[in-house]
Amino acid sequence: MTTRLGPGRSGWPRRGDLRRPGAAAALAILTVAYVAVYLAWLVFRWGGPELETTINDASFIPLGLLAITFALRAARQARTTGGRHAWLLFGLAFAAYCAGDILWFDQEIVLGIVVPYPSVADIGYLAFYPFLLLGLISLPRERAENRLKTFLDLATVFIGSGTVVWWLVLAPVAAANSSGGIATVVALAYPVGDLLVIFALAAALMVRLTDTSRRALALLGAGLILNVIADFSYARLSLEATYQSGAWLDVLYGLGWVAMILAAFLQVSGVAEVRRTGVAPVPTRALPFLPYVAVAAVYGLLAVATQGYSDSARVLVIGAIAVTTLVVARQVLTARENARLLAERASSRSEARFQAIIQNANDVIAVVDREGTIGYVTPSVAHLSGRPAESFLGRGLGMLLEPADVPLALELLRTAAARPGTSDTIQCRVRSLTGDPRHVETSVMNLLDDPVVVGLVVTIHDVTERRRFEEQLRDQAFHDPLTGLANRALLADRIAHGLRRGRRRTAQAALLYLDLDDFKQVNGSLGHAAGDRVLVEVARRLGGAIRAEDTAARLGGDEFAVLVDETLAVGDAIEVTERILAELGRPIEIDGTAVVIGASVGIVRAETRGSEPVDLLRNAVFAMYQAKGDARGSYRIFQPAMFAATVERIQLEADLRTALDAGEFGLVFQPLVDLSDERMVGVEALLRWDHPTKGLIMPALFIPLAEQTGEIERIGRWVIERTCLTVGGWNEASANGPLRANVNVSARQLDPRLVDDVAGILQRTGFPPELLVLEITESVFAAERPGVREVLSSLRSLGVRISIDDFGTGYSSLSFLRDLPVDELKIDRAFIQALTEHGDTSLVAAIIKLAHDFDLATVAEGIEIASQITALRELGCDLGQGYLLGRPTSPSAIEERLAAEPGGAPHAYPRSA
């Protein structure tokens, strides 16, 4: 018996070694190099007879160690239970074989005795077969479509290979060991085991395996076949007493075992690639031709075995082979014909299915000529216009549209007709019998050159509900949901318009900033519901105290503002202020309780050229604080002396420029959880500034300064790289699924340099790009800044995900959502609070449905109570974050939370994940 493979403790890599990049590949390369050296030794035969015996007995033991290492590694990383069991059994098979090798080496080399037959080493060699067979049977596979056919194919392989093995090996071995006893049983056990290996391997190759690398299966099969051929050849040579140790048979054994080692290596590499990319492995390809190979082998054996027979017998054999070959050829032709008929039938079904889809489609599809005459239109036009499809045939497309939109539609047809194969889209309206026009998106595809269509294909998609939702969202984005007044965004827009008008006229806009006095006492004594009613009444009185051209706004909480349009002097603004204070001074009746609310007012007039909305707001706030400090219920006009705080701001800017180099910035992380099971799937990195004299400064104070000074780009790069390093370290050390990392990106960072910065950071840190999520506020999209779309598209081409932050607070046309290079929407906390404060789920439900329709994930911000989680889960929201799920905390606290959470398979990121 020749030397066999086996494991030993001396070659086992240290725990974790194969996790390092390139470690497994290095071992695989060393395996091939090792065998190449051994094969060279077989050729040149360095050393004497004793050294040759030692080398022959020990040369495969290191390979056995590698075989066990890779097999157990493949078992540990398997994605399914079946794959784990299969590779564990392969590892046990290699270990059993290695035990036989070690026992053989011990007897022949260490003890220096002639190894008897059978010996104790045969226990290990024979134990190899049951473990290997169980491993091949355990490989996860797809369910056979036709079990009877599969059974017949396997029976053909088993009988055919069994016949050949019986003739070539089993019968001669049995005849040579006719004395019986344990020696005969052992001698026959080897070829029987090899025969079962052939059968089990055929069973694996004739189905589609679902958790096995194609290349790994090919090498595993090649290695087993080489070992089976070597075993059969060894048996034949032993019977003829011509076997010599270290001959070509050992080359077959060596190549076979190296193939199995590389199979385990490729399995490990394949699983690692699946985990890195998230793409499921393609099932292996089934080999249905194996039964024919078995039939050919039997007939080949028959032809060889009848060489000494009479001519008549040989003619009979040749005739049987020829007839069988013709039957097989006819079967192949029949199968091809059946495949063609099935394909034609499938094509016919597909055509019928297409017709059914077209006839029942919600969108209207029409075929028109160059002049717009309708030749065909789908029945769905009746739902859109209220008129049957037949009434449009032979009529112009203008019959379907509102008269004002007909010229635009005809121009679209002319443009499309001039460019074959192109498609254009416009927004227009459809004329309905109900008198209520429907808003639609109309696109035209030029198929005039298509011999089947020969026309312009017009697709009309009803977007009426979306337009209504856009209007609702626009109102929500520009108005306070409680009072109906303008919000901060709309006020800033009105201030900007007022400033532009003031540059051309004598009259100037004035801004009043109001802060209600002692409003917290109302909430504390009467409750938040009463406080909301007070705010609504304050808003009503503000509206009654100002002119129609003035703008009243609620900026948040108990803070209001009034933009007084075109004042000739500051006295005009004072007059409006006094009128407002008089209105607010009257008691407000709340459930029988008279509530008296005053206000402190800061006044600023846009008298300085170059003023910006932020300057006006800031100065008005300075004046309001002066009024509140001097006497509540009064007003103050902004004076330059109030600008003392600006000095502090300038100093803060100077400190900001050196803060990063001084190591004053740090990150905290807020958990991001899967709402289905509340497990943490990611973190959002939040920047904090630990000022050496002022203490902790929050981003709301220094981020605007960083944007104005340009420091935001340098700080932003630092935040992204630090986040990738920190979260990447957690992912390597954690047994849980990989965490994604969310990082806020300022609008000032959105230029092509950001793409290069992110690419360089990903390369340096090795952080997977699909786990990095860059959050962009919705206002960036609403402003439609040039070049932003291209920058985001380039970032996504790197594999980075893009999230729209604070969705719903800065209106952007929803018609662009399907084309925006984004992956998810983060629903603003104001909408989440409305779920429980006002019980209104319609807007959140609409946002979630819209996002899912566009294949975007949804993240709810500001979750603070359990009922919000329940409502969001029912509405189908994917992820969430908020104080209830985890406050922003230090990296060490996140590590403790990761350690406390149970390990498990990685979470699948929702939708674009």
Side-chain angles (χ1 to χ4, degrees):
M1 184 65 66
T2 188
T3 310
R4 307 298 178 118
L5 291 177
R9 187 172 301 276
S10 61
W12 197 285
R14 290 183 294 111
R15 179 178 177 85
D17 279 357
L18 294 184
R19 293 183 179 180
R20 293 199 295 269
L27 287 177
I29 294 172
L30 287 175
T31 301
V32 176
Y34 178 83
V35 171
V37 172
Y38 172 71
L39 295 179
W41 177 84
L42 287 178
V43 174
F44 296 104
R45 294 288 182 170
W46 300 299
E50 293 185 0
L51 180 60
E52 288 186 11
T53 303
T54 302
I55 291 176
N56 280 329
D57 288 352
S59 57
F60 291 134
I61 291 180
L63 293 179
L65 302 177
L66 290 171
I68 299 170
T69 299
F70 281 119
L72 296 183
R73 183 64 178 171
R76 183 177 181 181
Q77 292 190 353
R79 299 171 60 252
T80 62
T81 301
R84 186 160 50 252
H85 289 168
W87 285 99
L88 178 61
L89 288 166
F90 291 154
L92 293 175
F94 299 153
Y97 222 123
C98 183
D101 269 346
I102 293 173
L103 291 172
W104 186 283
F105 181 84
D106 178 67
Q107 292 178 89
E108 187 170 47
I109 304 302
V110 178
L111 300 180
I113 64 174
V114 177
V115 181
Y117 181 79
S119 71
V120 67
D122 289 296
I123 298 176
Y125 294 144
L126 292 175
F128 166 81
Y129 293 107
F131 286 127
L132 181 64
L133 294 173
L134 290 174
L136 290 170
I137 294 172
S138 299
L139 287 171
R141 64 198 66 204
E142 290 184 353
R143 184 183 181 88
E145 296 181 0
N146 189 327
R147 287 190 171 185
L148 179 58
K149 177 180 176 298
T150 302
F151 173 78
L152 293 175
D153 288 345
L154 289 174
T156 302
V157 172
F158 182 71
I159 295 174
S161 59
T163 302
V164 175
V165 171
W166 177 85
W167 178 267
L168 295 177
V169 182
L170 279 175
V173 170
N177 295 272
S178 58
S179 60
I182 188 65
T184 301
V185 173
V186 172
L188 292 174
Y190 283 103
V192 170
D194 288 328
L195 177 61
L196 293 177
V197 167
I198 294 174
F199 175 70
L201 180 61
L205 293 174
M206 291 172 61
V207 296
R208 287 162 58 90
L209 302 182
T210 57
D211 191 24
T212 304
S213 164
R214 288 184 175 183
R215 294 179 298 171
L217 180 62
L219 281 174
L220 180 64
L224 291 176
I225 292 299
L226 287 173
N227 273 264
V228 167
I229 293 173
D231 273 350
F232 288 162
S233 300
Y234 170 78
R236 294 286 301 186
L237 293 175
S238 297
L239 292 174
E240 299 167 2
T242 59
Y243 170 75
Q244 291 182 357
S245 180
W248 60 270
L249 274 186
D250 290 327
V251 176
L252 292 182
Y253 279 119
L255 293 177
W257 283 91
V258 168
M260 288 187 283
I261 292 172
L262 294 179
F265 163 71
L266 290 177
Q267 179 67 14
V268 172
S269 302
V271 172
E273 180 69 13
V274 169
R275 291 185 175 178
R276 185 182 68 81
T277 62
V279 179
V282 178
T284 62
R285 186 176 302 166
L287 303 179
F289 60 81
L290 290 181
Y292 300 108
V293 174
V295 171
V298 171
Y299 274 112
L301 176 65
L302 184 60
V304 172
T306 56
Q307 284 293 326
Y309 286 30
S310 64
D311 291 341
S312 298
R314 293 188 63 190
V315 169
L316 182 62
V317 170
I318 294 173
I321 294 175
V323 170
T324 303
T325 302
L326 292 174
V327 170
V328 170
R330 184 180 183 281
Q331 184 180 6
V332 171
L333 292 176
T334 302
R336 294 181 62 181
E337 180 66 16
N338 289 340
R340 185 185 65 79
L341 293 175
L342 288 174
E344 291 179 355
R345 183 179 179 185
S347 176
S348 177
R349 287 183 175 179
S350 297
E351 183 177 351
R353 187 182 298 112
F354 176 75
Q355 289 292 337
I357 292 173
I358 289 295
Q359 293 297 317
N360 296 279
N362 290 326
D363 288 353
V364 175
I365 301 175
V367 179
V368 303
D369 59 17
R370 295 176 181 271
E371 287 71 34
T373 303
I374 300 175
Y376 170 80
V377 65
T378 55
S380 54
V381 71
H383 300 288
L384 188 64
S385 67
R387 293 186 290 269
E390 294 77 11
S391 64
F392 293 97
L393 299 181
R395 310 287 295 274
L397 186 64
M399 176 186 176
L400 181 61
L401 305 177
E402 283 290 315
D405 294 333
V406 171
L408 180 62
L410 294 179
E411 179 63 25
L412 175 66
L413 292 179
R414 284 193 292 270
T415 302
R419 295 183 294 169
T422 60
S423 176
D424 294 292
T425 302
I426 61 170
Q427 302 272 339
C428 56
R429 294 163 297 171
V430 167
R431 184 188 306 175
S432 174
L433 289 179
T434 62
D436 182 20
R438 309 286 294 179
H439 294 273
V440 297
E441 284 182 350
T442 302
S443 62
V444 178
M445 173 65 75
N446 185 339
L447 296 179
L448 290 167
D449 295 336
D450 191 312
V452 178
V453 180
V454 192
L456 302 172
V457 178
V458 180
T459 303
I460 301 175
H461 177 61
D462 189 354
V463 295
T464 304
E465 294 302 322
R466 192 181 75 195
R467 288 288 295 270
R468 291 174 181 169
F469 177 48
E470 287 180 355
E471 293 172 0
Q472 182 183 8
L473 192 58
R474 181 187 295 110
D475 184 74
Q476 182 72 29
F478 287 130
H479 293 83
D480 176 58
L482 177 63
T483 64
L485 297 181
N487 62 10
R488 186 180 296 270
L490 181 56
L491 177 67
D493 182 70
R494 296 284 174 86
I495 293 174
H497 283 294
L499 291 174
R500 284 194 291 270
R501 286 197 304 271
R503 296 188 183 107
R504 301 188 300 269
R505 306 177 186 178
T506 304
Q508 300 290 331
L511 182 65
L512 316 180
Y513 197 99
L514 295 81
D515 185 82
L516 301 184
D517 297 327
D518 302 321
F519 178 73
K520 292 183 179 178
Q521 296 182 6
V522 176
N523 281 335
S525 58
L526 302 180
H528 289 280
D532 288 348
R533 292 169 62 186
V534 169
L535 293 175
V536 171
E537 179 60 20
V538 168
R540 189 190 67 79
R541 295 186 183 186
L542 277 179
I546 62 177
R547 303 168 300 175
E549 60 267 28
D550 299 334
T551 300
R554 182 187 177 210
L555 304 182
D558 58 352
E559 297 177 343
F560 294 82
V562 173
L563 180 66
V564 183
D565 196 35
E566 296 190 352
T567 63
L568 296 175
V570 72
D572 296 338
I574 293 175
E575 181 181 345
V576 176
T577 301
E578 292 176 342
R579 194 160 58 239
I580 290 173
L581 291 176
E583 284 291 321
L584 296 182
R586 294 186 294 109
I588 300 174
E589 190 76 19
I590 301 293
D591 296 332
T593 301
V595 177
V596 179
I597 290 292
S600 299
V601 185
I603 304 174
V604 63
R605 189 166 180 265
E607 297 176 337
T608 305
R609 289 188 176 274
S611 297
E612 297 293 336
V614 66
D615 300 325
L616 227 60
L617 276 168
R618 180 194 58 205
N619 295 342
V621 171
F622 291 156
M624 182 273 295
Y625 279 121
Q626 187 71 41
K628 189 177 286 287
D630 292 344
R632 290 175 177 261
S634 64
Y635 62 85
R636 292 292 182 272
I637 301 169
F638 173 75
Q639 301 295 332
M642 299 175 184
F643 208 72
T646 305
V647 176
E648 183 178 359
R649 175 179 178 275
I650 294 174
Q651 181 60 49
L652 200 61
E653 287 183 5
D655 295 342
L656 184 64
R657 296 180 188 277
T658 60
L660 185 59
D661 296 332
E664 296 171 7
F665 284 118
L667 296 179
V668 295
F669 298 89
Q670 185 171 23
L672 188 70
V673 305
D674 189 327
L675 291 180
S676 64
D677 57 7
E678 298 186 27
R679 285 186 59 193
M680 184 167 62
V681 297
V683 292
E684 180 178 358
L686 302 172
L687 184 63
R688 297 292 185 265
W689 182 10
D690 188 7
H691 194 279
T693 59
K694 301 180 184 299
L696 188 64
I697 302 178
M698 301 301 285
L701 296 178
F702 67 84
I703 289 298
L705 295 180
E707 291 177 335
Q708 293 174 17
T709 59
E711 283 292 307
I712 189 64
E713 295 185 9
R714 198 162 64 99
I715 296 173
R717 286 194 297 270
W718 180 87
V719 171
I720 295 174
E721 183 156 1
R722 178 64 60 179
T723 301
C724 289
L725 287 171
T726 303
V727 179
W730 293 338
N731 287 341
E732 289 183 2
S734 175
N736 295 21
L739 294 179
R740 59 182 244 176
N742 285 37
V743 180
N744 291 283
V745 175
S746 166
R748 286 288 302 271
Q749 295 176 256
L750 294 178
D751 62 40
R753 287 176 295 182
L754 177 63
V755 180
D756 296 334
D757 291 339
V758 172
I761 290 170
L762 293 174
Q763 183 177 12
R764 289 193 300 272
T765 62
F767 193 76
E770 65 273 12
L771 297 181
L772 178 61
V773 183
L774 300 183
E775 297 186 9
I776 318 294
T777 58
E778 186 188 8
S779 59
V780 173
F781 299 98
E784 296 185 7
R785 292 179 52 201
V788 168
R789 186 186 299 268
E790 290 74 14
V791 171
L792 297 182
S793 297
S794 298
L795 288 170
R796 289 192 77 204
S797 68
L798 297 176
V800 175
R801 298 160 52 119
I802 305 298
S803 174
I804 301 181
D805 196 14
D806 300 329
F807 182 76
T809 59
Y811 169 75
S812 59
S813 176
L814 298 178
S815 62
F816 298 134
L817 264 184
R818 72 174 64 187
D819 300 321
L820 285 175
V822 298
D823 303 278
E824 69 179 24
L825 305 181
K826 294 192 74 173
I827 307 171
D828 187 72
R829 65 178 63 248
F831 299 107
I832 307 306
Q833 292 173 353
L835 289 175
T836 50
E837 292 180 1
H838 308 296
D840 182 13
T841 64
S842 60
L843 197 54
V844 174
I847 292 175
I848 294 173
K849 183 180 185 303
L850 176 71
H852 290 176
D853 287 344
F854 289 152
D855 201 27
L856 303 178
T858 51
V859 183
E861 297 183 280
I863 299 175
E864 298 180 354
I865 56 178
S867 59
Q868 292 171 345
I869 294 181
T870 302
L872 289 167
R873 188 178 290 143
E874 292 175 353
L875 294 175
C877 188
D878 302 304
L879 306 177
Q881 67 181 114
Y883 282 1
L884 180 65
L885 301 172
R887 292 175 177 269
T889 186
S890 64
S892 60
I894 295 293
E895 292 173 3
E896 292 175 2
R897 177 165 177 170
L898 286 172
E901 285 194 358
H907 268 49
Y909 295 127
R911 308 189 185 278
S912 302

